[in-house]
Amino acid sequence: MADYEREDVRHGVVPDIAGSKFGLASQWGLGNQVLVHAGVRRPKQDESSDLTTPPSIHIVKWDIDMHNPVTRKLVNESHNVFISLQSHNPEQADTVRKPQLVKFSRHYRSVQRACVLELQLKGDAAEDEEKRQIYYAQCQVFSMIELIWSLCEILFVEVLPGGVILNQLLDWVSWHFTQGDELATAVMSSSSPHTHESYWPAIYIYVLQGRIDDARKLLSIHPDRQRDVNDLYGMTDELLRKMPMFTVVGRQSVAEFDMKWRHWQDQCQQCLEDGLFDSHNNLSIICRILAGDNRVFSELKDLTQSWYQMLVAKLLYNNPTIKTFDIHYHAQECIDDYGGNSHLSTLDNILLSALEFDIHQVIRESSAHLNNWWFVAHLTDLLYHCGQLESHNLNFGSNLREFLLLEYATSLMSHESLWQIGMDYLDHCPEVGRHYLELYIERIPIQTERKALKVLRACEKRGMELQAHSICKEMGMKALQNDRLGTALSWCIRSKDRAFATFLSEKFLSEYSSRGGFSNLDLIDNLGPAMLLSDRLTFLGKYREFHKMYEHGEFREAANLLLSLLSAKLAPQKFWLTLLTDALPLLECDQVVFSSHQTYDLMHCLEEITLSFQSTQYLDKDDKQRTQGQREADQEKIDLLRLALARNLSRAILHEGTEIEGI
Amino acid sequence: MFVTKSISAEHKDLIHDVAYDFHGRRMATCSSDQSVQVWDIGEDSEWHCTANWRTHSGSVWRVTWAHPEFGQVLATCSFDRTAAVWEEVVGESNPNHRGQNHWVKRTQLVDSRTSVTDVKFAPKHLGRNNIILRIELCVVDIAVRLQNEISCKMNCSCISWNPSRVHPAMISVGSDDPSTTGGGKVQVYEYSDGNRKWNKVETLMTVTEAVHDVAFAPNLGRSYHLLAVASKDVRIIMLKPLRRAQSTVGQHSGVTRFEVRQPAQFDEHNSQVWRVNWNITGTILASSGDDGCVRLWKANYLDNWKCIGVLKADGTHHGPGHSGRSHSSHVVGTSATSGASSSSSGAAAGNSSQSSTRVRFTVSPVTDIRVDQKYSVFF
């Protein structure tokens, strides 16, 4: 039963001449879009492609109905309703819940209404004919959606106890089909209303829609009424006035009402049988409607316009206490009056399925033909919250809901400003929503840092660390590409990418070696615990700390730090010489900064450097980059260091000796 | 309803491949005119060609973007038997275009003996050993070389990485060998960290016709892998890993076994299928066939795969006879090479190399794929 058998295959044409010869290749984009180009088949070597025009690329999108400014408003507003519907408490008793759900449904409808009106306005105001058509077409779709939604609300959401449904259906019809009012306005604005061609049709429509008061008002202005010998108008008015109306809030029982109704309708029939209105065709028609004469409905089918309006009118006068589940038995007659099943439009089919309580069919038809995921996704979600999906034996209820929500969210994801809303919908898809989110969130185009932070917040909110890291890494890479080392490093720290941190630290160090200073000092000074991300970064931070100490004259602390950087092998070996050179001024200080022990350690490091200078590895690797001049400079530094270390050692030993003596 | 916007590319010949970057804000095109173009969306939300350069000395078959974590990097492969990796740099070294970005060739793999027909970057989570800026590159070529090569024992036309994060590195390889007697045309390999080797874990015996494209779907938390195959028809293959305990003991104990099923097979193209391509979530498959159509396939919520859309080229200027002719020429082309020997991997391989490869294949029908792990781009 739940098979998408039907032809819901969409067809599109790509304007490409070469496409038919070389085939079309496609490449997916974000959301519902593909790039298409001719040339999927490789031409043979001897076959020339003989393109007459330069090849084209085609960007094909679909499900973008919600992307124009008017419908975007609808997306935003319905999103709020959706979110509060999700958080509404399912534990509550049915009596509390139902009014709430009805309220949600009304919210949705008011949003739809606003959208229809705005589309209408935009359509009227559009200067360009093509745009106007687009607006009108959308307007039509949303009017249809409104009609279906409100019927579904009556049938599935606002289910009244006892199942007497007619009043709601009457409201439904008179709300959506205002032809009666339009005619009445035209009639009233004419100089002699009663002779206006629409005078009687307007009254008929009012009667057919059960709007008795309006009908009586219109009837009362007929001048014949005053000089009516047989008081035909008075009798008609009396019949109309006495017509019983069933109300749920009233105290009467169905049986009681039924009795009253039958009594009243007998009166109407009696009038007809007595031939009271034979002389007055128009009043006779009204009476025949009241008496529930089946033929008169067929005669007036131009006024009821559609089978469902006729159905409601017929039910009103033939079967006013009909139960919800019986309605569809009466539908066929009315459909036959309008040309039978073969003439049913999409809308007719959807409404019929709704009346047959085939929710699944409603959703299926709507999703296939309305070309709009907004409607099916929200309706299905609402019905799911009403518990209607289970009670109608759709055991895949929650899957269906999720399936449609996913479709809707996907149609939002391809728009650059609707992605946040799309994500909120995905949050409420328990099965695969999370996976969709993970795949989409990384791909959201990030043009600015602000947007990056926005996406990162969305990641954090959902605990998506992996994705957040990836975004940070990408931002870091972008900054690096633009030669903004500081920004790159701060993104890198956020992404916690150790390897990238090492790489960037190297960059900073080589920048220092070549320029003799650091850029982005504030960042390096405030690394804090982030410095532990990679050894090289720790070294960078500590090395900068050393510089600060030195600047502040804290020589002893600076010396200790320097030595620990060397002895803990935190410093990369190629940087040792630089570090030792940094130690030179400390060695030459007036005070003795390095103890004899520390000096031995420094000497040890120096020896290691000289050894490594002679090692083949060093010669192989670095020699190519090192010019002769540099090597000489290095050698000079080593010699200087040797001297300084030796002198410091002697001073330290002397100093330590006197200290001991002092004790 | 499909809405189409067309852009006229500045290529002088047929475009063979178009690739969106990770975010869909850039695209790269490659063509028979041996050049690659990069397009960006401007402030005006229109596409502008921002780079156009000659990449190879032959038709460029495929172009693909690396993950942006690795920077702006492209890989191309060509009829000229090479594959190349390109990186975008900000206006250095070129005084004429200071401040303007341009693309620099970072490496070129020149060890193929015939046309290189496919090139794919590995999924970014496979960036191994924390060495930064390393991009794994998988190149189909015919040469016999280097470590970490895979001996496919068939001539390969296409490859696909499995994007799944939870499964060991996995690729599938398709062969366009026209002989239908050669057994399964799609093989699946898995990387074993233990012995640092690629092991063949599956051969899809049901696919015996020439295969022109394979594509793993993004995993989406499924307990199985979906592989789309472009052959005589479109196939969707499900590979469900069986628990290790169930696998046979002995030398294969480290290798995943799969339960292989085929949830869908579509012959609507009624002709050779050339390309298969998954959307971002791995829920809709687009296939391209010789019928000139792109068809979209999707599973409904009951997991039934159905066609949901068809895109057709506007062929009004070409009568059916024209397309019919190109069809038949294709058929002739393939049947001519069928038989005991096989054609080279590239359908458009040059005549001279074709004949020599064919001989080579007759002697030893081995095609290799090189998965070059040590390869990296340094800045």
Side-chain angles (χ1 to χ4, degrees):
Chain A
M1 97 180 156
D3 203 15
Y4 273 70
E5 279 298 323
R6 250 174 339 101
E7 305 292 304
D8 40 11
V9 180
R10 305 181 204 187
H11 289 264
V13 171
V14 177
D16 200 313
I17 297 166
S20 41
K21 186 178 178 194
F22 294 103
L24 292 176
S26 66
Q27 182 76 38
W28 280 93
L30 190 66
N32 294 324
Q33 52 176 325
V34 286
L35 278 181
V36 176
H37 65 93
V40 70
R41 190 172 64 76
R42 282 175 197 143
K44 297 282 164 308
Q45 194 57 19
D46 51 348
E47 181 186 31
S48 96
S49 57
D50 57 274
L51 290 182
T52 46
T53 49
S56 301
I57 308 160
H58 313 276
I59 299 163
V60 182
K61 298 185 180 188
W62 62 97
D63 290 342
I64 54 170
D65 277 29
M66 306 314 270
H67 291 188
N68 79 48
V70 182
T71 42
R72 240 150 59 196
K73 212 179 276 175
L74 175 81
V75 170
N76 276 315
E77 286 168 14
S78 53
H79 166 240
N80 294 337
V81 184
F82 175 81
I83 292 299
S84 48
L85 174 59
Q86 304 310 307
S87 58
H88 118 284
N89 187 1
E91 302 289 300
Q92 282 167 331
D94 227 29
T95 46
V96 190
R97 269 189 74 193
K98 210 151 75 188
Q100 277 183 347
L101 289 167
V102 173
K103 224 161 109 189
F104 282 120
S105 177
R106 297 267 154 83
H107 268 304
Y108 278 132
R109 273 176 56 202
S110 70
V111 176
Q112 286 166 37
R113 184 86 222 149
C115 179
V116 169
L117 291 177
E118 194 165 349
L119 283 169
Q120 184 78 47
L121 280 178
K122 286 263 173 174
D124 294 343
E127 282 159 15
D128 158 7
E129 183 58 30
E130 197 185 343
K131 262 193 186 152
R132 188 195 315 247
Q133 288 312 319
I134 292 173
Y135 278 123
Y136 282 158
Q138 277 205 325
C139 185
Q140 206 186 349
V141 169
F142 277 100
S143 305
M144 261 156 66
I145 286 175
E146 243 194 308
L147 183 69
I148 302 166
W149 189 295
S150 48
L151 181 64
C152 289
E153 181 183 298
I154 293 167
L155 293 172
F156 307 122
V157 184
E158 195 178 20
V159 186
L160 292 181
V164 178
I165 197 178
L166 198 71
N167 280 349
Q168 288 167 290
L169 289 180
L170 286 173
D171 288 343
W172 175 63
V173 166
S174 49
W175 171 256
H176 289 284
F177 302 99
T178 52
Q179 204 204 357
D181 291 325
E182 282 156 25
L183 290 183
T185 320
V187 167
M188 294 315 283
S189 57
S190 77
S191 51
S192 77
H194 69 283
T195 55
H196 193 278
E197 54 171 0
S198 300
Y199 177 71
W200 289 106
I203 296 178
Y204 298 152
I205 290 176
Y206 279 144
V207 176
L208 286 168
Q209 293 188 349
R211 296 167 67 179
I212 302 302
D213 290 341
D214 293 320
R216 284 178 61 203
K217 250 182 246 162
L218 207 54
L219 197 59
S220 68
I221 60 163
H222 201 286
D224 282 355
R225 183 159 186 184
Q226 314 306 327
R227 44 197 154 87
D228 192 355
V229 197
N230 297 327
D231 197 25
L232 290 179
Y233 284 90
M235 269 159 52
T236 312
D237 189 57
E238 183 67 6
L239 285 177
L240 285 171
R241 191 181 61 78
K242 285 204 294 198
M243 178 176 156
M245 277 292 182
F246 183 79
T247 47
V248 185
V249 282
R251 300 247 175 110
Q252 59 185 342
S253 69
V254 175
E256 224 176 305
F257 169 79
D258 223 26
M259 220 168 66
K260 268 197 209 163
W261 175 267
R262 240 178 260 165
H263 178 71
W264 171 80
Q265 206 163 42
D266 279 347
Q267 275 186 332
C268 301
Q269 264 151 10
Q270 196 59 48
C271 289
L272 280 181
E273 274 166 33
D274 294 350
L276 285 179
F277 296 108
D278 284 358
S279 61
H280 199 300
N281 191 31
N282 294 323
L283 294 180
S284 156
I285 288 179
I286 295 179
C287 193
R288 279 168 67 205
I289 299 175
L290 297 183
D293 177 359
N294 260 332
R295 278 167 308 159
V296 78
F297 294 107
S298 305
E299 286 163 23
L300 295 178
K301 72 176 185 183
D302 287 341
L303 294 181
T304 42
Q305 289 171 313
S306 57
W307 63 268
Y308 39 91
Q309 289 187 64
M310 182 196 261
L311 174 69
V312 175
K314 260 190 179 176
L315 289 175
L316 172 63
Y317 294 104
N318 277 331
N319 219 333
T321 55
I322 189 156
K323 297 284 195 288
T324 320
F325 287 94
D326 297 330
I327 295 176
H328 67 271
Y329 296 124
H330 302 267
Q332 194 56 48
E333 265 176 50
C334 303
I335 291 172
D336 288 342
D337 263 326
Y338 282 92
N341 288 5
S342 55
H343 282 75
L344 290 184
S345 68
T346 311
L347 178 65
D348 292 328
N349 276 321
I350 296 172
L351 293 174
L352 185 62
S353 312
L355 289 173
E356 284 167 351
F357 278 78
D358 190 345
I359 290 184
H360 180 248
Q361 183 69 15
V362 172
I363 292 164
R364 218 180 76 171
E365 293 261 350
S366 308
S367 52
H369 294 294
L370 294 183
N371 199 7
N372 175 307
W373 293 110
W374 182 91
F375 169 63
V376 276
H378 286 94
L379 182 70
T380 311
D381 178 60
L382 181 70
L383 294 179
Y384 164 80
H385 281 277
C386 293
Q388 287 287 358
L389 290 184
E390 289 92 342
S391 65
H392 289 283
N393 294 325
L394 305 179
N395 49 9
F396 43 81
S398 71
N399 281 342
L400 176 62
R401 167 182 173 266
E402 177 156 338
F403 179 82
L404 295 169
L405 285 179
L406 289 173
E407 289 292 344
Y408 177 61
T410 303
S411 72
L412 298 182
M413 284 323 247
S414 46
H415 188 271
E416 55 182 15
S417 64
L418 296 176
W419 59 272
Q420 277 171 302
I421 293 179
M423 289 179 74
D424 279 344
Y425 280 89
L426 291 178
D427 280 339
H428 290 99
C429 298
E431 272 176 57
V432 294
R434 170 89 185 183
H435 297 289
Y436 267 64
L437 272 174
E438 284 175 359
L439 290 167
Y440 275 125
I441 205 161
E442 282 186 298
R443 287 175 189 265
I444 291 165
I446 297 173
Q447 294 94 331
T448 58
E449 296 228 336
R450 231 183 95 221
K451 183 145 183 208
L453 292 174
K454 215 172 183 183
V455 178
L456 280 176
R457 260 201 307 280
C459 285
E460 270 159 33
K461 203 175 114 191
R462 292 167 176 85
M464 295 182 171
E465 242 176 62
L466 227 63
Q467 283 71 22
H469 285 177
S470 174
I471 291 165
C472 292
K473 252 190 239 181
E474 196 191 325
M475 291 302 288
M477 196 48 129
K478 222 189 249 173
L480 177 68
Q481 199 189 10
N482 291 317
D483 233 5
R484 289 157 56 215
L485 270 187
T487 321
L489 182 61
S490 64
W491 279 115
C492 162
I493 288 167
R494 282 190 79 150
S495 79
K496 303 205 170 55
D497 182 346
R498 178 193 301 254
F500 195 33
T502 305
F503 177 82
L504 286 174
S505 310
E506 293 276 0
K507 279 243 160 195
F508 270 104
L509 291 174
S510 64
E511 189 190 60
Y512 172 79
S513 305
S514 59
R515 279 194 234 155
F518 287 113
S519 57
N520 302 89
L521 278 181
D522 51 339
L523 179 69
I524 302 173
D525 285 349
N526 296 306
L527 279 175
M531 156 192 316
L532 299 173
L533 185 57
S534 100
D535 282 353
R536 204 51 51 86
L537 188 61
T538 317
F539 171 70
L540 177 67
K542 288 285 171 200
Y543 185 54
R544 167 65 195 148
E545 224 167 88
F546 161 78
H547 276 258
K548 267 198 299 194
M549 286 173 177
Y550 185 79
E551 278 164 29
H552 295 151
E554 297 159 7
F555 295 138
R556 203 167 291 273
E557 288 83 353
N560 286 336
L561 182 59
L562 189 69
L563 197 65
S564 67
L565 284 177
L566 281 168
S567 54
K569 306 248 156 60
L570 209 51
Q573 200 167 24
K574 62 180 178 205
F575 212 72
W576 280 17
L577 193 59
T578 318
L579 280 179
L580 285 171
T581 322
D582 284 329
L584 259 180
L586 291 172
L587 291 168
E588 301 291 343
C589 234
D590 293 343
Q591 270 177 302
V592 179
V593 179
F594 288 103
S595 70
S596 59
H597 228 68
Q598 288 174 321
T599 317
Y600 282 132
D601 287 343
L602 287 175
M603 290 169 112
H604 182 70
C605 289
L606 189 66
E607 277 325 295
E608 251 181 67
I609 295 175
T610 17
L611 268 178
S612 77
F613 273 21
Q614 285 146 11
S615 76
T616 47
Q617 199 191 4
Y618 176 84
L619 290 171
D620 270 2
K621 237 172 142 189
D622 289 349
D623 246 23
K624 284 165 199 155
Q625 287 146 24
R626 243 166 250 257
T627 59
Q628 189 63 30
Q630 265 175 324
R631 286 176 67 187
E632 274 168 13
D634 284 353
Q635 196 53 48
E636 206 171 299
K637 270 185 201 164
I638 289 172
D639 291 342
L640 252 170
L641 272 168
R642 261 213 193 98
L643 184 66
L645 282 169
R647 275 168 45 166
N648 190 66
L649 184 61
S650 65
R651 277 165 64 198
I653 290 173
L654 270 176
H655 185 73
E656 280 154 27
T658 46
E659 256 182 11
I660 292 166
E661 267 174 33
I663 293 163
Chain B
M1 218 217 303
F2 293 107
V3 181
T4 308
K5 190 166 135 188
S6 302
I7 305 160
S8 175
E10 287 146 37
H11 283 296
K12 290 174 202 70
D13 207 339
L14 211 55
I15 296 175
H16 291 296
D17 199 12
V18 176
Y20 263 125
D21 81 331
F22 191 66
H23 297 292
R25 303 279 300 179
R26 317 189 80 184
M27 60 180 177
T29 58
C30 66
S31 158
S32 270
D33 70 3
Q34 313 181 350
S35 71
V36 166
Q37 292 181 357
V38 172
W39 299 71
D40 286 278
I41 291 189
E43 303 267 311
D44 53 357
S45 354
E46 297 289 329
W47 288 96
H48 300 281
C49 180
T50 53
N52 182 355
W53 75 101
R54 194 162 171 265
T55 48
H56 288 277
S57 53
S59 288
V60 188
W61 297 135
R62 303 296 287 246
V63 59
T64 183
W65 291 85
H67 191 278
E69 269 183 26
F70 303 111
Q72 296 298 310
V73 177
L74 281 173
T76 52
C77 65
S78 162
F79 174 67
D80 73 359
R81 310 175 197 184
T82 64
V85 177
W86 308 84
E87 199 210 349
E88 189 181 33
V89 289
V90 181
E92 72 187 24
S93 73
N94 190 341
N96 296 330
H97 300 93
R98 194 158 291 283
Q100 212 179 336
N101 295 0
H102 63 276
W103 292 80
V104 174
K105 190 193 282 183
R106 289 303 183 192
T107 193
Q108 185 161 29
L109 306 164
V110 286
D111 38 33
S112 172
R113 283 186 208 167
T114 53
S115 172
V116 181
T117 55
D118 205 351
V119 56
K120 299 269 167 69
F121 285 108
K124 69 152 203 282
H125 66 271
L126 293 177
R128 258 173 247 270
N129 303 338
N130 290 325
I131 295 174
I132 54 157
L133 315 182
R134 159 182 294 178
I135 294 147
E136 285 198 43
L137 186 72
C138 184
V139 184
V140 174
D141 66 33
I142 304 244
V144 183
R145 263 184 176 256
L146 284 175
Q147 83 279 36
N148 259 322
E149 63 195 17
I150 302 173
S151 233
C152 287
K153 298 200 169 51
M154 60 180 193
N155 52 336
C156 306
S157 55
C158 50
I159 42 172
S160 172
W161 286 90
N162 186 345
S164 168
R165 277 202 185 97
V166 291
H167 199 273
M170 190 198 269
I171 58 172
S172 90
V173 181
S175 160
D176 61 356
D177 185 340
S179 122
T180 53
T181 52
K185 292 289 191 298
V186 177
Q187 298 179 339
V188 179
Y189 293 84
E190 185 185 278
Y191 187 74
S192 152
D193 278 324
N195 54 12
R196 292 163 181 258
K197 258 179 68 185
W198 286 91
N199 301 312
K200 182 157 86 184
V201 288
E202 198 62 59
T203 303
L204 302 181
M205 297 311 289
T206 53
V207 185
T208 53
E209 306 273 354
V211 169
H212 291 280
D213 203 6
V214 285
F216 271 112
N219 184 265
L220 207 62
R222 298 181 183 112
S223 61
Y224 50 86
H225 309 291
L226 276 183
L227 179 70
V229 177
S231 180
K232 275 312 244 194
D233 44 23
V234 181
R235 300 196 190 194
I236 296 173
I237 312 274
M238 197 178 107
L239 294 162
K240 187 173 182 148
L242 299 170
R243 256 182 275 137
R244 298 264 158 139
Q246 286 168 282
S247 65
T248 50
V249 281
Q251 63 183 76
H252 290 300
S253 59
V255 176
T256 321
R257 296 271 134 205
F258 294 93
E259 177 198 332
V260 181
R261 289 208 294 124
Q262 186 174 298
Q265 179 174 5
F266 311 108
D267 50 12
E268 273 87 338
H269 280 294
N270 251 324
S271 54
Q272 179 67 53
V273 182
W274 289 97
R275 207 66 86 72
V276 281
N277 184 218
W278 290 97
N279 69 343
I280 288 167
T281 50
T283 47
I284 310 179
L285 179 74
S287 64
S288 305
D290 251 348
D291 60 348
C293 290
V294 173
R295 292 174 193 271
L296 305 176
W297 312 92
K298 184 176 197 301
N300 68 7
Y301 51 94
L302 298 171
D303 234 10
N304 293 331
W305 288 86
K306 291 274 157 72
C307 181
I308 61 159
V310 181
L311 288 169
K312 197 165 174 44
D314 181 6
T316 47
H317 302 276
H318 286 268
H322 194 113
S323 59
R325 201 165 66 222
S326 65
H327 270 229
S328 60
S329 77
H330 166 66
V331 173
V332 170
T334 46
S335 60
T337 50
S338 67
S341 66
S342 51
S343 79
S344 66
S345 83
N351 284 335
S352 57
S353 71
Q354 210 163 25
S355 54
S356 65
T357 9
R358 201 178 293 159
V359 173
R360 192 159 64 87
F361 278 149
T362 322
V363 177
S364 149
V366 175
T367 304
D368 297 289
I369 291 181
R370 211 180 88 207
V371 181
D372 191 347
Q373 289 180 327
K374 292 286 173 277
Y375 168 69
S376 51
V377 175
F378 294 103
F379 293 87

